[in-house]
Amino acid sequence: MKKMINTLAGATALFVASSAIAASHDPAAIQAKALDDEIAYDITEGLTTEIGPRQAGTEAEARARAWSLKKLKALGFKNVRNEPFMMPTWVRGAETAEIVSPYPQKMHITALGNSASTGADGVEAEIVYFSSLAALQAVPDGSLAGKIAFVTHNMHRTQDGSGYGTYGPIRWVGPATASKKGAAAYVIKSIGTDYHRNPHTGGTGFPEGITPIPAAALSLPDADNLERMVKLGKPVRMKLVLTPQNIGQQESGNVIAEVPGRDPSKGMILVACHLDSWDLATGAFDDAAGCGIISAAAKYVMDNGQPLRTIRILWAGAEEVGIWGGKAYAKAHSGEKHAIAMESDFGADNVWRVEHKLPEGANSVKQQINKSLLPLGISTLGPPASGGADIRDIIASNNLAVIDLQQNGTRYFDLHHTPDDTLDKIDPEQLRQNVAAWSTVLAIIANSDADFTMPPKK
Ligand code: ZN
Ligand code: ZN
């Protein structure tokens, strides 16, 4: 072989070979191949069927990690590993709610992550109704002593999921607010948009110095029922039993796999999802599908010849319960050269818009991405990209460029954090469109030698 290099035939063969590599990175060809994808569905099916619910820090999440390491190795990725870390772990106990008077009946409820326990005997108290978080925030500290604060909302379906940002604080900061007001417990209308009797769980937090109180979400129909009861004008009493526990520091871990690039000095492309789910569901939409999408896309790029840059796949081990995986990743890897970070964590429905946060110098790459995504029905005018929860810390610490492939979130909050987040909700055709979009973008950026360094933050 060495001898042939000196011959004309050898030189021609080399030329043909190198142009073949270049041609194989053609994003349109990779996109076409990805439109027949089965890998993303296979990963989603495997995680939801062979593992099921996998709350971070639990034995189920450890099984999920073992499954993932095996799967990513079998797909041919390199440097497949588990990077363990410790995290405070909260686990669900019993959870029941009933109206004691004046209209006795049971209600469907679930505890919010980090809720305190009521004790096995529960808490029975009068409901104080608030039509918004602002209304709760407006009452004096200590004024809700011995009461159960109840906050409702009017969140509706939107394509961009922006209702979550608007109404999410009812769950995120409402419990701590109610604690400051002296409430014995806190219940909300689930942060969701469906009308099943499935309550939506999700994390909350009690900052240092604020006493954790029992906090839970009613299903949307139950919350509306409670609102009607309150509006009839008589005092409404609820009995709430929630017995979650904090079980201390437990092990979780980030699963990492790589497609090594030809030039390790070029910054790598980080693609992320989260492996953990809430305990109520099998986490098909949130976020097994995301892990399927990013990994299938990385495989199509890998199979078409070694890319210029390394692609690193991060299946973060703990997102739902406090973004511990993303924090651990940034702590362990901020010293390494990253170029662009991307995350898929918004279900499995079609990508409808691409958003960028790229330096001016990478404008031609941005134009190429936009043009290459047009056949998939993806629009290109939007706000700057901001990334997902698991890459938030590495983006901040390393001032990274970001590309977001925004998924249609119209039905996302029907399913989010409920027992209904199951495999049957995945539409294989829309999942393939996601893989095609991701493959296209990865083929372009992993083979681009553009400088993606962001200007210093002001
Ligand atoms: Zn998620
Ligand atoms: Zn989630």
Side-chain angles (χ1 to χ4, degrees):
M1 191 62 193
K2 249 182 197 166
K3 248 190 266 169
M4 277 188 66
I5 289 171
N6 296 324
T7 70
L8 186 61
T12 308
L14 272 179
F15 175 75
V16 169
S18 67
S19 58
I21 287 172
S24 73
H25 290 304
D26 173 17
I30 292 175
Q31 183 179 102
K33 198 174 167 197
L35 282 169
D36 289 326
D37 174 61
E38 299 290 337
I39 298 166
Y41 191 88
D42 178 63
I43 288 172
T44 312
E45 183 176 25
L47 279 171
T48 54
T49 308
E50 295 172 45
I51 308 299
R54 44 194 183 280
Q55 192 185 319
T58 69
E59 157 288 320
E61 186 244 322
R63 272 190 286 122
R65 266 182 285 147
W67 186 96
S68 305
L69 293 168
K70 215 169 125 190
K71 174 58 85 178
L72 289 163
K73 278 179 198 158
L75 286 168
F77 294 112
K78 300 287 185 283
N79 307 324
V80 178
R81 60 197 188 268
N82 171 36
E83 296 189 352
F85 55 86
M86 301 301 285
M87 52 168 279
T89 303
W90 172 98
V91 292
R92 192 175 304 284
E95 41 195 25
T96 61
E98 60 185 296
I99 302 304
V100 179
S101 66
Y103 316 111
Q105 56 189 285
K106 290 183 176 168
M107 292 199 158
H108 288 217
I109 200 160
T110 194
L112 301 179
N114 294 321
S115 166
S117 173
T118 59
D121 294 340
V123 166
E124 189 194 312
E126 187 181 326
I127 291 285
V128 182
Y129 165 83
F130 297 97
S131 61
S132 66
L133 180 62
L136 172 68
Q137 285 164 334
V139 300
D141 283 5
S143 62
L144 297 178
K147 304 281 173 43
I148 297 175
F150 164 50
V151 179
T152 185
H153 62 80
N154 196 23
M155 177 172 164
H156 287 284
R157 297 183 178 105
T158 57
Q159 180 172 253
D160 67 1
S162 55
Y164 192 55
T166 308
Y167 298 103
I170 293 171
R171 190 188 87 215
W172 307 329
V173 302
T177 307
S179 174
K180 276 201 284 188
K181 309 300 180 187
Y186 178 73
V187 297
I188 61 173
K189 180 173 175 174
S190 283
I191 304 303
T193 53
D194 64 301
Y195 273 86
H196 293 284
R197 288 188 83 185
N198 285 328
H200 299 230
T201 190
T204 191
F206 296 93
E208 189 98 17
I210 294 187
T211 310
I213 58 171
L218 292 161
S219 81
L220 284 96
D222 284 289
D224 286 352
N225 198 7
L226 179 56
E227 186 174 346
R228 287 192 298 274
M229 291 177 189
V230 168
K231 287 182 175 170
L232 287 173
K234 291 182 187 163
V236 177
R237 293 186 70 80
M238 176 183 272
K239 181 171 179 189
L240 192 60
V241 178
L242 304 170
T243 60
Q245 289 177 62
N246 290 309
I247 57 169
Q249 293 284 324
Q250 304 293 326
E251 187 175 302
S252 177
N254 288 327
V255 171
I256 288 176
E258 289 170 355
V259 179
R262 299 195 300 279
D263 185 351
S265 73
K266 297 278 176 198
M268 70 180 124
I269 308 296
L270 178 67
V271 294
C273 64
H274 65 85
L275 176 59
D276 65 314
S277 77
W278 274 106
D279 54 339
L280 300 180
T282 60
F285 252 45
D286 189 11
D287 182 29
C291 294
I293 291 163
I294 64 167
S295 309
K299 179 157 171 66
Y300 292 118
V301 175
M302 174 173 76
D303 287 352
N304 278 279
Q306 189 179 22
L308 177 65
R309 296 169 190 270
T310 294
I311 301 171
R312 180 178 285 168
I313 298 167
L314 166 64
W315 291 16
E319 189 270 345
E320 299 292 6
V321 286
I323 318 179
W324 301 104
K327 288 173 192 161
Y329 180 84
K331 202 171 160 201
H333 297 286
S334 62
E336 295 165 56
K337 190 170 177 190
H338 294 69
I340 298 181
M342 297 178 66
E343 175 151 13
S344 178
D345 182 19
F346 202 51
D349 285 346
N350 276 341
V351 173
W352 66 283
R353 183 165 74 190
V354 58
E355 296 167 4
H356 306 271
K357 191 186 91 181
L358 295 171
E360 288 280 318
N363 252 333
S364 64
V365 178
K366 181 172 152 182
Q367 296 314 325
Q368 192 193 357
I369 290 170
N370 289 353
K371 201 174 123 198
S372 304
L373 292 175
L374 289 177
L376 298 173
I378 296 171
S379 70
T380 55
L381 294 174
S386 56
D390 300 291
I391 53 175
R392 186 190 65 188
D393 282 30
I394 192 75
I395 290 169
S397 63
N398 291 32
N399 190 25
L400 292 183
V402 185
I403 299 171
D404 286 336
L405 289 168
Q406 296 292 4
Q407 294 163 290
N408 183 346
T410 307
R411 65 185 181 127
Y412 187 71
F413 292 103
D414 289 1
L415 307 168
H416 186 241
H417 299 177
T418 73
D420 249 359
D421 181 2
T422 48
L423 184 66
D424 51 286
K425 309 307 183 304
I426 303 284
D427 171 358
E429 277 309 308
Q430 296 196 59
L431 187 64
R432 288 188 191 104
Q433 188 261 15
N434 273 269
V435 177
W438 273 79
S439 302
T440 306
V441 173
L442 276 189
I444 294 169
I445 60 180
N447 289 296
S448 168
D449 64 0
D451 184 357
F452 292 117
T453 310
M454 292 300 292
K457 281 181 275 188
K458 281 170 199 153

